[in-house]
Amino acid sequence: MPKLPFLFPRELALLQRRWNKEMRSLPVTAEPWLAAKARQWDSQTLESWILKHVHTRGAREFARTITRAVLCAEPRQVSYLCFLEYLRQGESLESLIGIEGGAQQDKFAGGAWQIPQRMAAQLGDSVQLDSPVHAVEQHHDGVSVISNGHTYRARHLIMAIPPVLAAKIRYNQPLPAKRNALLERMPMGSVIKIHVAYERAFWRLRGLNGGVVSNNRVFNVVFDQSLDDDGMGVLVGFIDADHAIAMSATDEATRRQQVISDLVHYFGPDAAHPIAYVEQDWTAEPWSRGCYVAHTAPGVITSFGDTLREPCGRIHWAGTETATRWCGYLDGALQSGIRAAQEVLNR
Amino acid sequence: MPKLPFLFPRELALLQRRWNKEMRSLPVTAEPWLAAKARQWDSQTLESWILKHVHTRGAREFARTITRAVLCAEPRQVSYLCFLEYLRQGESLESLIGIEGGAQQDKFAGGAWQIPQRMAAQLGDSVQLDSPVHAVEQHHDGVSVISNGHTYRARHLIMAIPPVLAAKIRYNQPLPAKRNALLERMPMGSVIKIHVAYERAFWRLRGLNGGVVSNNRVFNVVFDQSLDDDGMGVLVGFIDADHAIAMSATDEATRRQQVISDLVHYFGPDAAHPIAYVEQDWTAEPWSRGCYVAHTAPGVITSFGDTLREPCGRIHWAGTETATRWCGYLDGALQSGIRAAQEVLNR
């Protein structure tokens, strides 16, 4: 980050204390619409809140950068109540962005992509790939899920897809208007994730940990993803929020050039010569429509939020957005699946 | 409206003057994202703006009631920039809500439903009803529109449906991520429209014009829709924004009771015995997903707005939301259709 005014660290501490205090007033049942100040907090954007309550330029920029990093959205797009609930679900800001003891601490040896692959191996033929669901039909004795030329029947259905994708499915028995309205108001964040590999983790030799949070570069959040000191050096990072929208409209060569230029700015000329560059533009991914999670603009939680986990006939809702803890994370996805399965068993 | 404090009329005049001044600074090309203060105005909700700039309770309630009436959304859900652009497109608040010389002045003798019917009569077999479009496929030499079991081919396509419905269609050639993001962030307002008929326009006999704008009843906007003094009396009115969401979840009997109770409150016991009650719940209408028009939350116009009228290959965008004047009105729909047709002709 660039040089920041002297007052910034002090105001940052106050800011975190205030957020932690306010988030603790939200119901632990993940029903933020029931909070005493729900209406007040949901009537403003996080940006309005920052302008009113944060006074030093440094602390303001910090709050904005953090919002972009955790929700992949601009602070002017996010309800302050939505932001507080996200903090609450992740225990605190420190826990969400923290490495040691925080949400960024653990990595999967070999990568998280192995999870769905290993699950699929156990499940065998019951996993159907390349079968996007176009329609869901509820009947008196069951539910049909219709894909390209195939129909799958079940007694109950658990939907575990992003809200914006659930909104695109045709339902023969219309969802309640309020539930539709919520699904149509939960857009995903915008992010491009990039791995850059080097022959050596050269930054470690210079005593740097490879971590970056920037408020004025495009490739604005970076972590060290290298496995050990001796092998290949890997930096993983993100282009998020408005930067992601702008860079998604360019091409890979342009993005690569921008990313490497930012890495040279952070880590010096050694960063100019990677041995590999791998990117995933989540804003252009049709089966997620963005990442890592859906957010809500002001007025959405308080007008429509109470339909979030309400079953619609034989349809039960899972997916990380319906979690009561760790919304936006694998933990939240798992928890929501267990809850939805329990709902079906209890019917 | 209930009794309002003394200062209200004065502040209301100041408020209208300020809105009219600010809206005149928006580009006449309907590109509000280019306005000098676009970022500032789009970073806050209309509710935040009201709390900061309007001081008397009466003027605040007026601003909120007006927002609900024109956009069918709560002020906490709407970007202040979106609201200003809506005012600009309709020339001014006075023009939008005005009867004499305003947008509410003219009615179609026999009802506006005759317009599509008469157009359809002229067009004959080329109008296909009961054929919701599921997919649009672009090829090197044309575009296919796919409905239930039917495929229609054309050289170019003009899409004139609400953004939220355009977002539900499958595209073989994906729309640009930014265009998708905009479509996924333009929800429709929430409104239930109700006609109540009486044997006589009894309110006229008592010197009342039948008009109501209320800040504390459910059936909160009412107009006299009677044809003449001698015949049947008809009141048309609206349940909008949060009230519409709540009332849509009940049943017609409950809504009818509420509406008549509100009319008795406004017009006395004569209102208790209508001869007919006809309602249209737009929040539950699958082919509009709300009414009268889409709105945007903060941060949407400035991040995604510039894709609003940008053609995507062979797809051209019409519909009232893409108008440059009278967005949300028949005039805007017509204007947008003419513009889109011209785009196709100019290719």
Side-chain angles (χ1 to χ4, degrees):
Chain A
M1 291 185 105
K3 288 270 193 321
L4 293 167
F6 173 71
L7 279 174
F8 161 58
R10 184 177 143 73
E11 193 175 28
L12 184 57
L14 291 172
L15 178 63
Q16 287 191 267
R17 203 181 306 162
R18 178 158 187 170
W19 280 347
N20 285 342
K21 187 180 157 215
E22 292 189 342
M23 81 181 198
R24 274 194 293 270
S25 77
L26 296 178
V28 294
T29 51
E31 296 167 293
W33 51 88
L34 298 179
K37 294 198 176 170
R39 185 62 69 98
Q40 181 188 326
W41 289 337
D42 201 35
S43 290
Q44 62 196 305
T45 66
L46 182 52
E47 178 68 21
S48 290
W49 191 92
I50 290 169
L51 288 174
K52 185 162 180 189
H53 296 285
V54 186
H55 303 289
T56 54
R57 183 174 156 277
R60 283 182 174 177
E61 283 298 290
F62 173 83
R64 290 173 182 137
T65 302
I66 285 300
T67 310
R68 291 184 195 114
V70 298
L71 287 172
C72 301
E74 296 293 330
R76 70 183 185 281
Q77 294 161 343
V78 177
S79 151
Y80 182 57
L81 181 63
C82 167
F83 176 73
L84 280 182
E85 170 65 5
Y86 195 75
L87 290 187
R88 189 200 66 75
Q89 291 223 6
E91 292 174 14
S92 69
L93 180 62
E94 300 88 309
S95 151
L96 278 171
I97 64 175
I99 296 180
E100 218 165 310
Q104 313 303 325
Q105 173 178 277
D106 296 319
K107 287 179 278 201
F108 292 90
W113 59 274
Q114 300 165 101
I115 302 175
Q117 209 173 51
R118 290 195 188 181
M119 287 169 71
Q122 281 182 33
L123 292 164
D125 288 347
S126 58
V127 175
Q128 300 292 319
L129 299 177
D130 299 317
S131 303
V133 172
H134 301 145
V136 167
E137 294 184 358
Q138 296 198 57
H139 316 288
H140 72 281
D141 61 343
V143 56
S144 298
V145 174
I146 296 155
S147 176
N148 290 327
H150 287 282
T151 298
Y152 305 92
R153 285 192 56 91
R155 288 222 303 280
H156 305 285
L157 176 65
I158 295 178
M159 289 265 258
I161 57 177
V164 74
L165 291 179
K168 292 180 202 293
I169 288 173
R170 279 173 282 134
Y171 300 90
N172 77 321
Q173 187 176 302
L175 305 181
K178 193 176 178 181
R179 173 63 183 164
N180 258 323
L182 180 65
L183 291 176
E184 290 168 359
R185 285 163 175 85
M186 293 184 72
M188 301 295 283
S190 306
V191 67
I192 303 171
K193 183 172 185 174
I194 297 159
H195 284 80
V196 187
Y198 296 92
E199 282 185 11
R200 289 262 161 280
F202 62 85
W203 53 92
R204 293 186 179 186
L205 305 176
R206 291 169 43 207
L208 297 173
N209 68 6
V212 176
V213 179
S214 164
N215 69 334
N216 62 356
R217 310 290 296 189
V218 170
F219 193 50
N220 58 328
V221 176
V222 182
F223 293 99
D224 185 340
Q225 188 83 324
S226 319
L227 282 178
D228 51 58
D229 279 338
D230 303 327
M232 190 170 65
V234 181
L235 294 172
V236 63
F238 306 91
I239 300 176
D240 57 36
D242 271 1
H243 286 314
I245 300 298
M247 294 307 287
S248 176
T250 67
D251 55 22
E252 180 169 329
T254 307
R255 287 189 290 267
R256 185 189 157 114
Q257 194 172 33
Q258 176 72 53
V259 164
I260 290 171
S261 146
D262 287 348
L263 288 175
V264 168
H265 175 82
Y266 303 139
F267 298 114
D270 285 344
H273 306 290
I275 55 173
Y277 171 96
V278 182
E279 61 167 34
Q280 169 68 21
D281 178 359
W282 289 103
T283 74
E285 168 55 49
W287 307 118
S288 72
R289 297 278 173 174
C291 255
Y292 319 104
V293 67
H295 59 271
T296 53
V300 174
I301 293 173
T302 43
S303 282
F304 311 100
D306 63 1
T307 64
L308 183 61
R309 288 175 287 265
E310 196 65 36
C312 299
R314 292 172 177 277
I315 305 174
H316 294 257
W317 305 99
T320 197
E321 281 84 3
T322 70
T324 59
R325 288 192 62 202
W326 292 103
C327 165
Y329 289 78
L330 293 176
D331 276 21
L334 278 173
Q335 187 228 39
S336 78
I338 294 166
R339 190 255 314 139
Q342 203 62 56
E343 272 176 22
V344 171
L345 290 172
N346 291 347
R347 281 176 74 117
Chain B
M1 290 184 105
K3 289 270 195 316
L4 293 166
F6 173 69
L7 279 174
F8 161 58
R10 185 177 141 71
E11 193 175 30
L12 185 56
L14 290 172
L15 179 63
Q16 287 191 265
R17 201 180 308 161
R18 177 159 187 168
W19 280 347
N20 286 342
K21 188 180 155 213
E22 293 189 341
M23 83 185 196
R24 275 194 295 269
S25 78
L26 297 177
V28 295
T29 51
E31 296 167 294
W33 52 89
L34 298 179
K37 294 198 176 169
R39 185 62 69 97
Q40 181 188 326
W41 288 337
D42 200 35
S43 290
Q44 61 197 304
T45 66
L46 182 52
E47 177 68 21
S48 290
W49 191 92
I50 291 169
L51 288 174
K52 184 162 181 190
H53 297 284
V54 186
H55 304 289
T56 53
R57 184 175 155 278
R60 282 182 174 177
E61 282 298 289
F62 174 83
R64 290 173 182 137
T65 303
I66 286 300
T67 309
R68 290 184 196 113
V70 298
L71 287 172
C72 301
E74 296 293 329
R76 69 182 186 282
Q77 293 161 343
V78 177
S79 151
Y80 182 57
L81 181 63
C82 168
F83 177 73
L84 280 183
E85 170 66 5
Y86 195 73
L87 290 187
R88 189 199 66 76
Q89 291 223 4
E91 292 174 13
S92 68
L93 180 63
E94 301 87 308
S95 151
L96 278 171
I97 64 175
I99 297 179
E100 220 165 307
Q104 313 302 326
Q105 174 179 273
D106 296 319
K107 286 179 278 203
F108 292 90
W113 59 275
Q114 300 166 103
I115 301 175
Q117 209 173 53
R118 290 194 188 182
M119 287 170 70
Q122 282 183 33
L123 292 165
D125 289 345
S126 58
V127 176
Q128 301 292 320
L129 298 177
D130 300 316
S131 303
V133 172
H134 301 145
V136 167
E137 294 184 356
Q138 296 198 58
H139 315 288
H140 72 280
D141 61 342
V143 56
S144 297
V145 174
I146 296 155
S147 176
N148 290 327
H150 288 282
T151 297
Y152 305 92
R153 285 191 57 91
R155 288 222 303 281
H156 305 286
L157 176 66
I158 295 178
M159 288 266 257
I161 56 177
V164 73
L165 290 179
K168 291 179 204 293
I169 289 173
R170 278 174 282 134
Y171 300 90
N172 78 321
Q173 188 176 303
L175 304 181
K178 194 176 178 181
R179 173 63 183 163
N180 257 324
L182 180 65
L183 292 176
E184 291 168 359
R185 285 164 176 83
M186 293 185 72
M188 301 295 283
S190 306
V191 67
I192 303 171
K193 183 173 185 175
I194 297 159
H195 284 80
V196 187
Y198 296 91
E199 282 184 10
R200 289 264 162 278
F202 62 85
W203 53 92
R204 294 185 179 187
L205 306 175
R206 291 169 42 206
L208 297 173
N209 68 7
V212 176
V213 179
S214 163
N215 68 336
N216 62 355
R217 310 289 297 189
V218 169
F219 193 49
N220 57 328
V221 176
V222 182
F223 293 99
D224 185 340
Q225 188 84 324
S226 320
L227 282 177
D228 51 56
D229 279 341
D230 303 329
M232 189 171 66
V234 181
L235 294 171
V236 63
F238 306 92
I239 300 176
D240 55 36
D242 271 1
H243 286 316
I245 300 298
M247 294 307 286
S248 176
T250 67
D251 55 21
E252 180 169 328
T254 307
R255 288 189 289 267
R256 187 189 157 112
Q257 194 172 32
Q258 177 72 51
V259 163
I260 291 171
S261 145
D262 287 349
L263 289 175
V264 168
H265 175 81
Y266 304 140
F267 298 113
D270 284 346
H273 306 290
I275 56 174
Y277 171 96
V278 182
E279 61 166 33
Q280 169 69 20
D281 179 359
W282 288 103
T283 73
E285 168 55 48
W287 306 118
S288 71
R289 298 279 173 173
C291 255
Y292 319 104
V293 66
H295 59 271
T296 53
V300 174
I301 293 174
T302 43
S303 282
F304 311 101
D306 62 1
T307 64
L308 183 60
R309 288 175 288 265
E310 196 64 37
C312 299
R314 293 172 177 277
I315 305 174
H316 294 256
W317 305 99
T320 197
E321 282 83 3
T322 70
T324 58
R325 289 192 60 203
W326 292 102
C327 166
Y329 289 77
L330 293 176
D331 276 22
L334 278 173
Q335 187 229 40
S336 78
I338 294 166
R339 191 255 314 140
Q342 203 62 56
E343 271 175 23
V344 172
L345 290 172
N346 291 346
R347 282 176 75 117

